[in-house]
Amino acid sequence: AALTPAPSAPSVQVLLAMAKRPSGAGEGPEENGQQVKRLKGAEGDAGDQNKRTPKRKIVLLMAYSGKGYHGMQRNLGSSQFKTIEDDLVAALVQSGCIPENHGEDMKKMSFQRCARTDKGVSAAGQIVSLKVRLIDDILEKINNHLPSHIRILGLKRVTGGFNSKNKCDARTYAYMLPTFAFAHKDHDVQEESYRLSRETLGRVNSLLACYKGTHNFHNFTSQKGPRDPSAKRYIMEMYCGEPFVRENIEFAVIKVKGQSFMMHQIRKMIGLVIAIVKGYAPESIIERSWGEEKVDVPKAPGLGLVLERVHFEKYNRRFGNDGLHEPLEWKEEEEKIAVFKEQHIYPTIINTEREEKSMMSWLNTLSIHDFDSTSAEMEANNKNSKNGDLEGSDGCDDDSD
C-alpha cells in the first residue's frame, strides 16, 4: 500500500495569521480539519445526548384533579375530549424523557396505566408504567410542563416486563360525599345542616360490609348478564370513615378495596346503600341483587370518586427485595399525597358540590326508582337510560381496556 505523505509544516504567514486571531475563535478548515470535526461534534453533543441516554422501564406515581377532563385514558380519535394522559404525554415529550414520535404512538414507550378513571374522577395514587430516558432531575422537569392540578409525586425502576395494569393485585377507591345523603327521607333534615349520628354511621357500615367477599355484581354494571363469569368480583373491604365538616357542610369518605371494578360498579354499590339508609329500598335488596333477577340499582354521582391507591403485593414479594428493584410502596410520598388532596382534590369536590349540588339533585331522583320492578320493566328503563350515559368505568374497566 502507498504511504501517505506527512503534512507539510505551516508557512510563516499562516503562523502569524494564527497568532493574530482572537483567542477562542474556531479554526478554519484549511488550517486544521481535525478541529472542524471536533467543533461539529460538540455542536451535536446536546442534541445527541438524549439519543445516547438508555431507556429504562419505570413507574410514575401520579396525583390529579379530574375536573374538566374526560377521564384518564388518551383517545387520539377524539382530540376534542381532553384527558389526563394528553397533558402527561405532552410533558414527557417537552421534558425530553421520550421522543416526540413516542407521544404519537404510546405503544413505543410501552405505556400502561394501572386504572382507567372516568370523566371528572380524581386520583391520589395512580400508577403508570413506561420506558423513558432517565434524565437528570426528571420529576422536576416533567412537573415543570404539567398544570398544578396534575403532579408526578414519585418514580421507581421496575422489571423490563412490568405492566402496571396486569401486575396490579387490587385497587382502593375513596368516595367523598356530604352526609346529608344518609338523612332518612321521612324524619331527618334533608339539607346541609344535617349531621350524621353514630347510630346511622353504624348502619351504613353494616350495609357496606355486606359487599365484602365474592359476589355476582351484574346488577351493578351495564352490558353484563347474570351468568357472565366476569361479573363476579372480589371485594376485600368497604367502610365509611368518621365525618368531618368543611365549608359548613359535613362530609364523610367511603373506602373500598377490591381486585378490580366494572363500569359504574362503585357508584352503584354506594347508591344502593344510600337508597336503603334513606328509606327508599329494603335491606333485603342487596342479597336479592346477587341473584339472576334484574334489580333497579341507582348510580351515585361521579363527583367525589377518587382512585386512592393501587396495590402490587405479588410483585413486591417477588422483586421488592431482590437487590435490584424497590418494592412499589410509597411511604416517603405519603405526605406529598396528603398535601395534594388537601390543595387540589378535596377543595374541588367541596366547591363543585356547593355550586352544582350534584348530590342533592341526585337524591331527588331516588323516589322515581322502582326497587321492586320486573325484569321486563328494567330492560325498558335501561334502554332509555343508556342513551344519555357516556361515562366509562369506575376505575379499571379491565374487560374493555
Side-chain angles (χ1 to χ4, degrees), residues 22 37 95 103 262 349:
K37 290 179 182 177
S95 62
M262 298 178 291
I349 294 172

Side-chain angles (χ1 to χ4, degrees), residues 367-384:
S367 61
I368 66 175
H369 282 268
D370 184 358
F371 296 103
D372 296 312
S373 59
T374 65
S375 295
E377 290 169 340
M378 278 296 300
E379 287 173 9
N381 290 337
N382 280 344
K383 286 179 182 178
N384 292 332

Side-chain angles (χ1 to χ4, degrees), residues 140-152:
E140 181 182 354
K141 288 176 181 175
I142 297 172
N143 282 324
N144 284 343
H145 294 285
L146 285 170
S148 60
H149 55 266
I150 303 177
R151 292 288 93 179
I152 305 300

Side-chain angles (χ1 to χ4, degrees), residues 212-270:
K212 291 167 66 174
T214 301
H215 300 286
N216 188 334
F217 283 96
H218 75 96
N219 274 307
F220 295 80
T221 187
S222 60
Q223 300 174 339
K224 284 207 185 293
R227 299 184 182 181
D228 189 334
S230 66
K232 289 188 176 180
R233 299 292 161 126
Y234 176 51
I235 304 300
M236 300 166 186
E237 61 180 11
M238 192 169 187
Y239 64 91
C240 182
E242 293 291 326
F244 53 92
V245 177
R246 298 286 174 87
E247 304 287 332
N248 297 321
I249 305 176
E250 187 179 67
F251 288 87
V253 175
I254 294 173
K255 295 277 185 77
V256 55
K257 180 181 180 182
Q259 282 183 336
S260 61
F261 298 95
M262 298 178 291
M263 183 183 293
H264 301 144
Q265 182 184 339
I266 295 173
R267 290 162 60 188
K268 282 184 173 261
M269 292 166 71
I270 293 170

Side-chain angles (χ1 to χ4, degrees), residues 97-161:
C97 295
I98 61 171
E100 190 168 349
N101 66 333
H102 285 202
E104 297 164 4
D105 183 0
M106 295 168 70
K107 290 181 180 178
K108 290 182 178 179
M109 56 173 161
S110 304
F111 186 93
Q112 184 60 263
R113 85 285 306 164
C114 183
R116 301 195 324 180
T117 50
D118 270 349
K119 174 184 176 182
V121 175
S122 299
Q126 172 73 283
I127 295 291
V128 298
S129 56
L130 68 160
K131 287 184 178 179
V132 299
R133 299 166 178 146
L134 287 176
I135 60 176
D136 293 336
D137 304 318
I138 182 169
L139 294 189
E140 181 182 354
K141 288 176 181 175
I142 297 172
N143 282 324
N144 284 343
H145 294 285
L146 285 170
S148 60
H149 55 266
I150 303 177
R151 292 288 93 179
I152 305 300
L153 302 180
L155 178 153
K156 290 183 188 291
R157 286 279 304 276
V158 288
T159 57

Side-chain angles (χ1 to χ4, degrees), residues 207-339:
L207 290 169
L208 293 174
C210 294
Y211 289 121
K212 291 167 66 174
T214 301
H215 300 286
N216 188 334
F217 283 96
H218 75 96
N219 274 307
F220 295 80
T221 187
S222 60
Q223 300 174 339
K224 284 207 185 293
R227 299 184 182 181
D228 189 334
S230 66
K232 289 188 176 180
R233 299 292 161 126
Y234 176 51
I235 304 300
M236 300 166 186
E237 61 180 11
M238 192 169 187
Y239 64 91
C240 182
E242 293 291 326
F244 53 92
V245 177
R246 298 286 174 87
E247 304 287 332
N248 297 321
I249 305 176
E250 187 179 67
F251 288 87
V253 175
I254 294 173
K255 295 277 185 77
V256 55
K257 180 181 180 182
Q259 282 183 336
S260 61
F261 298 95
M262 298 178 291
M263 183 183 293
H264 301 144
Q265 182 184 339
I266 295 173
R267 290 162 60 188
K268 282 184 173 261
M269 292 166 71
I270 293 170
L272 190 58
V273 167
I274 291 174
I276 295 170
V277 175
K278 290 194 79 69
Y280 288 104
E283 288 190 23
S284 60
I285 195 171
I286 294 182
E287 196 72 28
R288 186 156 60 93
S289 71
W290 309 142
E292 293 194 6
E293 178 187 356
K294 194 71 176 173
V295 176
D296 186 1
V297 178
K299 180 179 64 182
L303 179 69
L305 187 62
V306 179
L307 175 60
E308 190 79 10
R309 175 182 301 266
V310 290
H311 308 268
F312 298 93
E313 278 98 353
K314 290 180 183 176
Y315 173 86
N316 288 343
R317 283 197 296 270
R318 183 170 180 185
F319 297 106
N321 297 301
D322 65 357
L324 298 173
H325 306 94
E326 300 175 81
L328 295 183
E329 298 168 349
W330 307 94
K331 294 177 182 177
E332 295 180 5
E333 287 77 17
E334 290 289 352
E335 185 175 346
K336 289 190 285 186
I337 293 172
V339 169

